[in-house]
Structures are given as C-alpha cells and as structure tokens.
Amino acid sequence: KSDTGKNYVHEGLDIISHPDEYVYSPIEGKVVRQIFPYKNDQSLEGIEIVGTGKYSNYKIRFFYLQGNYSGDVKPGQVIGTAQDLTIKYPKITNHIHVEVRFLENLIDPHDFFRKSF
C-alpha cells in the first residue's frame, strides 16, 4: 500500500540514496528525455535512457533524479544527482526509483542488474 492507503503495483527497484548524491549510468546509451513521476508535480523528476550497443533493447527510467536530459552516456558516467524526497514525504527514506524495460516489456530490475554486472 502507498502512503495514501491505496494499493499499487511497484514496478521497479528503490535504491537508497542521499540528497545530491551522484547517480551513475549502469549502461551505454542515450538520455532521451526528462520524465516526471507525478503529472501534477514537476518538482520531482527523472530521466530515461535508451540503451545502445549490447544494451540496444533496453530502456531504463530513473525517478527522483535531477540530471542531464540529453546526450550519450557510458557505464559509470554521472547522469545526475539524487533529489530530496523528504520535502514531499517527510517520513520517507530517500531513494532513486529504477525501472527497466526490455523490448518495451517491464522486467524485474533485480534480474537485469544480476546478469549485467
């Protein structure tokens, strides 16, 4: 259940972070756009990376990240900094939310990161 008491399906992996902590790309790809987890609140944001090379069938979305909103990235390259979620949710643990798609299908990020690294 969410903080509002509504049921929802969690479609990604939450990685504990600290505000302004650097976040690194796990893949080779291209940052294609800025994204927002909440349509009515653009203070929290993220990016979407479309994979290239051996990652060409992957798409990774990072939420709660301020970053560069276009350009090529390599594995290990800084793609942004973690945002402070406690501004919106005072009792939450700060984190980056990561979603992984393969051939446009949502996959378990745990499986992706285990195989890739």
Side-chain angles (χ1 to χ4, degrees), residues 15-18 20-29 31 47 49 60-68 72-82 96-98 112-113 117:
I15 301 170
I16 294 174
S17 64
H18 301 284
D20 299 320
E21 181 177 18
Y22 288 126
V23 178
Y24 303 88
S25 179
I27 65 170
E28 172 187 334
V31 178
I47 63 170
I49 298 175
I60 301 182
R61 291 181 174 179
F62 294 86
F63 291 100
Y64 316 129
L65 164 80
Q66 290 179 312
N68 299 321
D72 295 330
V73 294
K74 297 195 179 310
Q77 181 177 336
V78 173
I79 54 174
T81 56
I96 298 295
H97 176 84
V98 182
F112 172 78
F113 288 111
F117 303 101

Side-chain angles (χ1 to χ4, degrees), residues 10-15 23-27 30-39 45-51 58-65 79 95-102 104-107 109 112-113:
H10 192 266
E11 299 180 330
L13 172 66
D14 290 342
I15 301 170
V23 178
Y24 303 88
S25 179
I27 65 170
K30 184 172 188 71
V31 178
V32 294
R33 67 186 177 122
Q34 180 180 26
I35 54 178
F36 300 96
Y38 306 104
K39 292 178 184 173
E45 54 193 279
I47 63 170
E48 182 175 270
I49 298 175
V50 173
Y58 289 92
K59 187 182 291 183
I60 301 182
R61 291 181 174 179
F62 294 86
F63 291 100
Y64 316 129
L65 164 80
I79 54 174
H95 63 276
I96 298 295
H97 176 84
V98 182
E99 294 178 4
V100 180
R101 293 183 185 274
F102 180 73
E104 297 299 327
N105 296 306
L106 197 60
I107 63 170
F112 172 78
F113 288 111

